[in-house]
Amino acid sequence: MATRVFVCGVAAAASLAVAGVALPAQSAPAPFNRTASGTVFLPNPVQDLGIETLTDQKDADYAALAPAYHRVTLTDLDGSGTLTGAYVRVKSSTGKPAVSVGGSFPAFHRDTDQFEQVMGYHWVTTAQAYLQHLGFGSTLRPVNQRQIEVRINQFGGDNSFFRPDKANITLGKGGVDDAEDAEVIVHEYGHSVQDGQVGGFGTSLESGAIGEAFGDYLAVVVTSWAAGAPTDPPEACVADWDSVSYTRLVPHCLRRLDGVKHYPEDVIGEVHADGEIWSRALWDIRTAVGDTKASTLIVEAQFAFAPDTSFRAAALDTVAAARRLYGASAANAVTKAFQARGIL
Ligand SMILES: [Zn+2]
């Protein structure tokens, strides 16, 4: 059987940028103020339980996974009883919609389509909550405060993607279902965030690599914020659970934020691989100035990016955002992080 490899892309971004497709308005209508309880992974069983030997077992709900299910409060819902809220509406291409009764979704587990639906809702909403906790939408301008669509496609390949023309995310299956790993969901939301900031972002190789890198960074920082940073496996490991299906090395990681790739000699012309150059710089910025300042300046900088920005231009924008928000010492730390990668 062929090895399945998780691939994420931004569908047709270049042609859409040319077509000039209008984006939905970035506003959060008022009525989305209801909550309901639901069952999720926080953020995935490998990271939560620290067990690298867990395997997919064909989507089975087996005993070792039992402690990885957690009851949480889903927020920003519209009160319809469906997974429809201020920042996301969930559609399943392959299963019945999850419905809540009396403010409570049933305790779906991973062997049902509805579990992935609840995961998609919860983690997109959590990622937006993280951005708002940084000040985006209050002290800073809003970022991606629009309702996107998350589609669960259980019959698709192991392949998730963001479609800028429809502002939606599709989460596929193949090995561990993509929506069973919060870091895959938030990675995809990272593409949505950048598209919300700069329509059609990612039309060149380097801007595409920045897109993949930011998705990986956001995945790690949002899940650490919401579920606590893991000590084992390493925090810098992305998609610890999704990747058990297609990696042999332990810890299982789709990619890492703490690699040693250097520009330009490690560029291979593939956006995910080259993104590890950029994501290591983001990781070093976070280490230097802390999570809140790092994520704030990284996201704020992205408003200035051209859709086809280069590593160098985007790095200079990020240094400028650091200086504007936090002064010279933060700007120096950011400069050093990009110098260490060969970008500045
Ligand atoms: Zn991606």
Side-chain angles (χ1 to χ4, degrees):
M1 187 174 137
T3 307
R4 291 182 183 274
V5 177
F6 171 83
V7 178
C8 155
V10 180
S15 59
L16 289 160
V18 172
V21 174
L23 295 167
Q26 298 210 358
S27 62
F32 296 108
N33 58 1
R34 307 290 284 275
T35 62
S37 59
T39 297
V40 297
F41 288 148
L42 289 176
N44 64 55
V46 173
Q47 193 164 316
D48 184 13
L49 307 178
I51 304 172
E52 292 283 346
T53 54
L54 295 171
T55 55
D56 181 42
Q57 301 192 22
K58 297 188 175 168
D59 212 24
D61 180 36
Y62 56 93
L65 296 176
Y69 292 103
H70 299 276
R71 217 53 196 162
V72 295
T73 300
L74 310 178
T75 64
D76 304 286
L77 288 158
D78 71 350
S80 68
T82 65
L83 291 165
T84 306
Y87 309 111
V88 56
R89 61 182 183 277
V90 175
K91 295 230 167 120
S92 179
S93 309
T94 47
K96 283 187 184 166
V99 176
S100 66
V101 178
S104 174
F105 284 89
F108 301 116
H109 281 195
R110 70 183 294 255
D111 52 345
T112 68
D113 194 276
Q114 290 79 14
F115 177 73
E116 278 88 69
Q117 296 172 30
V118 174
M119 281 288 286
Y121 184 90
H122 180 62
W123 283 103
V124 166
T125 302
T126 299
Q128 177 56 228
Y130 174 77
L131 295 169
Q132 293 185 22
H133 127 92
L134 296 175
F136 292 102
S138 52
T139 55
L140 298 160
R141 62 195 129 168
V143 170
N144 210 35
Q145 289 190 12
R146 57 179 166 172
Q147 185 194 59
I148 64 161
E149 184 171 296
V150 165
R151 288 178 180 241
I152 309 297
N153 187 340
Q154 297 287 67
F155 298 143
D158 190 8
N159 172 338
S160 294
F161 53 90
F162 171 70
R163 286 209 36 172
D165 58 328
K166 296 184 186 297
N168 73 20
I169 292 170
T170 296
L171 296 162
K173 70 171 298 171
V176 170
D177 299 342
D178 293 342
E180 285 187 37
D181 192 326
E183 292 188 334
V184 174
I185 298 166
V186 179
H187 170 100
E188 294 307 323
Y189 192 64
H191 291 301
S192 176
V193 166
Q194 286 186 320
D195 178 75
Q197 294 187 278
V198 178
F201 181 79
T203 56
S204 63
L205 186 61
E206 290 190 2
S207 60
I210 288 170
E212 300 308 332
F214 175 68
D216 286 353
Y217 174 86
L218 194 67
V220 167
V221 298
V222 166
T223 55
S224 286
W225 176 69
T231 49
D232 183 24
E235 187 183 18
C237 179
V238 180
D240 320 62
W241 171 227
D242 187 69
S243 61
V244 301
S245 303
Y246 48 78
T247 55
R248 288 180 184 280
L249 286 179
V250 173
H252 295 284
C253 311
L254 166 62
R255 287 179 291 276
R256 295 183 66 125
L257 302 179
D258 58 355
V260 296
K261 291 182 181 175
H262 191 268
Y263 187 84
E265 64 273 22
D266 290 322
V267 169
I268 65 164
E270 198 284 321
V271 289
H272 303 87
D274 296 349
E276 286 189 302
I277 302 171
W278 187 263
S279 66
R280 173 62 196 269
L282 302 186
W283 189 242
D284 286 346
I285 294 167
R286 182 174 183 258
T287 302
V289 304
D291 182 83
T292 300
K293 285 185 179 177
S295 296
T296 305
L297 73 90
I298 286 164
V299 173
E300 178 65 18
Q302 292 179 163
F303 280 112
F305 290 2
D308 62 346
T309 192
S310 65
F311 276 176
R312 179 176 170 77
L316 291 172
D317 288 335
T318 309
V319 172
R323 180 170 290 111
R324 208 162 58 237
L325 288 168
Y326 305 118
S329 72
N332 288 341
V334 172
T335 302
K336 275 190 187 140
F338 288 117
Q339 285 172 339
R341 302 272 63 79
I343 293 170
L344 290 180

